[in-house]
Amino acid sequence: MTGVTGDGHSRRAAWQWVTIAIGLLVLQAAILHAMGRVPICTCGYVKLWHGVVQSSENSQHLTDWYTFSHLIHGFLFYAATWALFPNLAWPGRLIIAMLVEGGWELVENSNFIIERYRSATVSLDYYGDSIVNSIADTLAMVTGFLAARMLPVALTIVLALAFEIVVGFHIRDNLTLNIIMLIYPFEAIRHWQAGPPII
């Protein structure tokens, strides 16, 4: 009888975590809508993948080259929450990661950051994410977090480096360059980013 009760309690707890996670996604979408972000691409349709970075449809569909950065966010947030909150169950740490990721998505789609991207990087056609893309970015982070929980640490690190190298050489941008150019843009990097794909 005790075992059944314990299982039932675990299932209820799991549903509570899922409910909180869904609630955060809904809240993120609602705030983005209030900020004036479009629900889907103004082109009128939603694609699973959009691979052209220098276009008005970048960051408008479900996934794109920057999805890999959000997977890495998940890797990093898993490590950070494990180090900062070692006694907290992993679903609780995932909720913390979702709060951070969702908060960044709201900041990233503020007019200040949008103009920063447009003035400091080669993203001249960037006018903010669609709501669909922003939610998909958060879900990519969740995927990365769950992957880091299950995979060996060494493999997670290899994947993160592979994502950064391949994406960096193909679109001449990645998580590392994105952070550098947002905080302190270098003209040399911007000039390099204007070139064609290397691989």
Side-chain angles (χ1 to χ4, degrees), residues 33-146:
H33 184 267
M35 291 169 61
R37 302 276 70 85
V38 296
I40 66 170
C41 177
T42 55
C43 59
Y45 50 84
V46 177
K47 294 193 295 187
L48 176 61
W49 168 263
H50 181 75
V52 182
V53 174
Q54 299 302 327
S55 76
S56 59
E57 291 187 38
N58 190 55
S59 296
Q60 301 302 301
H61 298 282
L62 288 172
T63 59
D64 50 49
W65 285 106
Y66 292 101
T67 299
F68 294 99
S69 291
H70 293 279
L71 289 169
I72 296 174
H73 287 181
F75 297 164
L76 295 174
F77 291 162
Y78 180 83
T81 56
W82 177 82
L84 294 172
F85 308 101
N87 296 321
L88 184 62
W90 72 263
R93 293 193 282 114
L94 175 57
I95 295 302
I96 292 173
M98 290 185 68
L99 284 168
V100 176
E101 182 77 2
W104 166 246
E105 285 294 319
L106 299 181
V107 171
E108 183 184 33
N109 283 283
S110 65
N111 290 331
F112 172 78
I113 296 297
I114 290 172
E115 288 305 315
R116 178 70 173 174
Y117 275 130
R118 286 172 50 77
S119 63
T121 73
V122 292
S123 302
L124 298 178
D125 290 324
Y126 181 68
Y127 290 95
D129 300 350
S130 70
I131 295 175
V132 163
N133 177 263
S134 181
I135 296 300
D137 285 347
T138 299
L139 291 174
M141 185 283 298
V142 171
T143 301
F145 185 101
L146 296 176

Side-chain angles (χ1 to χ4, degrees), residues 14-31:
W15 277 109
Q16 289 169 355
W17 290 121
V18 170
T19 301
I20 293 170
I22 293 173
L24 289 177
L25 292 174
V26 171
L27 179 62
Q28 178 181 329
I31 295 175

